[in-house]
Amino acid sequence: MLGLHYLKPAFNLSIEAVVGRQVENPYWQFFCGDQYFKHTPPIDPSQMMSFRPRIGEGGCEFLLGLTIKAGVATETVAGASLPSSTSTAPCRTKPSRFPLRRRSTSKPLRRLYSWPGRARHTHTERDS
């Protein structure tokens, strides 16, 4: 699951797209630790959403630190190429677009209903 969290921001994909593409791509499966090609998703996308809050920001930074140490130890990453302060890019939370707030749709509806010549309709929260 951790490998999918690294691949998600690297390819700018949604959680569902990352899980779907991991099924199709043997390189991604190897990167995520699978020894054999599998034709089924490794996890449900909802499990990825609940993983990040469970480990918290400190856990994300700890895992990123381990990844950097492993890269330096295997000489995959040069220590000089690392900035002095690292960011937790794979662990950033994006603001959710859904569900939409009712408040964001109420203002345009009020403007629509206030136009002259329109039939009056009282828009309530239960109508939307």
Side-chain angles (χ1 to χ4, degrees):
M1 185 181 313
L2 188 61
L4 294 175
H5 276 286
Y6 283 122
L7 293 169
K8 182 181 173 294
F11 291 92
N12 197 21
L13 296 172
S14 68
I15 291 173
E16 292 83 9
V18 167
V19 173
R21 193 175 287 184
Q22 200 262 356
V23 173
E24 300 171 351
N25 195 329
Y27 297 108
W28 283 23
Q29 289 187 17
F30 182 76
F31 177 76
C32 292
D34 294 335
Q35 293 181 353
Y36 302 102
F37 184 77
K38 297 178 183 175
H39 297 281
T40 57
I43 59 168
D44 188 61
S46 63
Q47 291 175 328
M48 263 185 85
M49 292 188 316
S50 65
F51 175 74
R52 194 177 325 168
R54 276 190 284 167
I55 64 170
E57 187 173 332
C60 286
E61 289 186 15
F62 175 73
L63 291 172
L64 181 62
L66 287 178
T67 305
I68 292 170
K69 286 180 185 176
V72 171
T74 59
E75 298 179 1
T76 308
V77 177
S81 68
L82 296 173
S84 60
S85 64
T86 57
S87 67
T88 57
C91 297
R92 277 184 289 179
T93 57
K94 292 183 180 179
S96 175
R97 291 181 56 198
F98 299 102
L100 294 174
R101 292 183 179 169
R102 292 174 192 252
R103 185 174 41 164
S104 64
T105 59
S106 63
K107 187 174 180 179
L109 288 175
R110 278 185 283 169
R111 291 173 111 186
L112 175 69
Y113 294 134
S114 67
W115 281 0
R118 288 273 186 189
R120 293 287 179 183
H121 175 73
T122 56
H123 176 71
T124 62
E125 293 292 325
R126 298 176 76 185
D127 288 341
S128 57

